[in-house]
Every structure is written in structure tokens, then in C-alpha cells.
Amino acid sequence: MRSIRNGLLFISPWIAGFAAFTIYPLAASFYYSLCDYSVLKPPVFVGGANYHELLTDPVLWKSLYNTMYFAVFFLPLATLLAIVLALLLNTGVRGMTIYRTIFFLPSLTPLVALGILWMWMLNGEYGVVNYVLNMVLNPLGLQAPIWLQSTAWSKPAIILMSLWGVGHAVVIYLAGLQDIPKQLYEAADLDGARWFSKVRHITIPLLSPAIFFNVVMGLISALQVFALPYVLTDGTGGPARSTTFYTMYLYNSAFRYLRMGYACAMAWILFLIILALTLLVYRMSRKRVHYGG
């Protein structure tokens, strides 16, 4: 009994912090999601009115569509790009440490600076990207897209910018690649296996725990995309709401329109969506993730 008491005493600072900064905000946000609350006035209990309004809010459905569009295209592209880069950076080329540093550095760039940089690069009239594209497309009678000013190209532009930060995933894949026993590749070489067969039957299966981890983290991150589109559009989500993502609408509801109760209800819906999709990925991965030992 005394040991339990001493144990609780030692972890009491953590318990206090967990209760104050995790349990209380969770409970408060759920209560406020049931209230008409503007921060400036006391909350008024309205039951499930906020959740009912969410079902009929066209802006919410538009933001949810934009977020799913981003996640569906960004996640596979980021996973594929990170694995390819990790495979290239895992070869024994001279000066590999420098190449690894070069590919990791962009992921350290603050998102605000990254957004401003890409906004200049993708400028439809003066951007360097369109300058290069037009050199190729103009002789064919085609024009480069106007990216952030186009409802059709604004989301692909943000996906392209987000791929710039795959360096963290590359580091995890590199660590996973270096854990794969070299004897397996030597045995495959003796059997006459080619490069693609070795990647398919050795590298990908043994890298599957790292892929699973990065996919789950990437999914959670993609569904909460915020900083980059917010900086690019000054929070408006234009043109024609084509870059209004879920978390942007949540933020605007809370701090621009002062509808904190409505924003709390949106946050709980997003939490349930992320939880459901994470459990789905976990269930689908049971027979596809191979842990060593």
C-alpha cells in the first residue's frame, strides 16, 4: 500500500498535467459542442443543435470533400516518393551523407516560409514553375495552369507543395532499410533475383512496419492540413472555396465567426473520422505488415 502511495506521489505532477491539459480540454470541448457559445458570452445549452446544423452546412461538406481529396492523393504520392528517395539514398554512392542532408533540409523549413516561397514559384504570370512549363508547352500550343487562381488546379498545387516535406518519412524508411539483413539480398543474388524482385519480395515486406507507421501518421496529418492553405489564401480558402479545408473552416468558425460551440462540434466529428479511418488502416494492415522475429 505504501509503495502504491509513493508511486502515485511521484507521478502526481504528470497526472496533474494530463488532467489539466488533456482531460479537461476534451471534456470542455464536448460540453461546448452542445452549447451556443461565442466566448464573449456564457454558453447556452442547445443539445445536439450544432451537430444537426453540421449535417446541412454546405461549406462543411465542401471542406470535407477538399480534405478527403487532399488525403486521397497526397498520402499515396508521399508514401511512394519517400520510399523511392529512401531506396536511392540507401545506395553506396560516394558523398551519400551530403545527399541525405539535402533531401532532409526542406522538411525543416517552416510552413509559413514554405507557403510564401511556393506562392512566388507558382505565380501564374511570373512564377519560375510556369516559366519552365511554358517553355515546353507553348510550342505544343498549350499553356501552363494558373495553379492557385484556378479551382481545378489549386488543390493539386497544395499537394505538390506538401510533397516538399517528405524528409521525415525518408529518415524513417532509411532506418528501416538498414535493419534488413544483408544475407537475404545475398541469398537472392545467388538465386539470380533481379532488383525489382528483391524490392518486391524482400524490401517492401520487411519495410512494412515503417510503411504502416508513416501511413497512419500521414493520414492523421493529411486530415488536419491547415497552415499551408491558410497562408496561401489568407484564410479565405479561395478561389470559390476550392482550398477550404476542414481545419480551416473549424478555425474560422471558432476565431473569425466566434462560434466556438459549432467549432467544438466540428472538432469532435473530425476526431471520429480520424479514429474510424485509423482503425480501418490498422485492420487492413494485419496481414500485410510483417514484423521481424
Side-chain angles (χ1 to χ4, degrees), residues 81-251:
L81 179 63
I83 291 175
V84 170
L85 286 176
L87 288 172
L88 292 174
L89 294 173
N90 196 43
T91 56
V93 177
R94 194 174 178 182
M96 187 53 70
T97 307
I98 297 173
Y99 294 129
R100 289 176 180 174
T101 306
I102 291 172
F103 278 98
F104 182 68
L105 276 178
S107 63
L108 299 179
T109 309
L111 288 175
V112 174
L114 185 67
I116 293 173
L117 174 67
W118 275 99
M119 195 162 53
W120 289 339
M121 291 175 65
L122 292 178
N123 184 287
E125 192 173 355
Y126 306 109
V128 65
V129 174
N130 274 16
Y131 176 78
V132 175
L133 285 177
N134 281 329
M135 288 175 63
V136 178
L137 295 176
N138 284 353
L140 303 174
L142 301 173
Q143 285 284 336
I146 52 175
W147 301 107
L148 296 171
Q149 287 78 42
S150 163
T151 55
W153 285 97
S154 54
K155 283 189 284 293
I158 291 175
I159 292 171
L160 177 67
M161 297 177 206
S162 301
L163 291 175
W164 192 254
V166 296
H168 292 289
V170 172
V171 170
I172 294 172
Y173 288 134
L174 267 175
L177 287 172
Q178 291 170 11
D179 273 347
I180 299 175
K182 297 193 183 316
Q183 298 90 327
L184 297 176
Y185 292 112
E186 292 168 358
D189 288 334
L190 291 174
D191 289 339
R194 295 188 177 183
W195 178 84
F196 183 76
S197 296
K198 287 188 283 187
V199 170
R200 181 183 174 190
H201 297 292
I202 298 175
T203 304
I204 298 300
L206 293 182
L207 198 60
S208 56
I211 296 174
F212 172 64
F213 173 79
N214 277 326
V215 166
V216 171
M217 292 295 105
L219 175 67
I220 294 171
S221 174
L223 293 175
Q224 298 181 77
V225 58
F226 174 77
L228 204 52
Y230 195 89
V231 170
L232 291 169
T233 65
D234 196 23
T236 61
R241 295 196 183 279
S242 62
T243 57
T244 300
F245 293 95
Y246 194 94
T247 48
M248 285 176 61
Y249 186 45
L250 190 156
Y251 178 87

Side-chain angles (χ1 to χ4, degrees), residues 11-54:
I11 64 170
S12 58
W14 179 86
I15 293 176
F18 183 70
F21 298 112
T22 303
I23 300 297
Y24 171 73
L26 275 174
S29 70
F30 182 70
Y31 171 70
Y32 290 140
S33 74
L34 303 173
C35 297
D36 181 9
Y37 182 40
S38 66
V39 182
L40 303 176
K41 296 179 181 177
V44 178
F45 188 79
V46 294
N50 287 326
Y51 292 95
H52 185 264
E53 185 180 344
L54 284 174

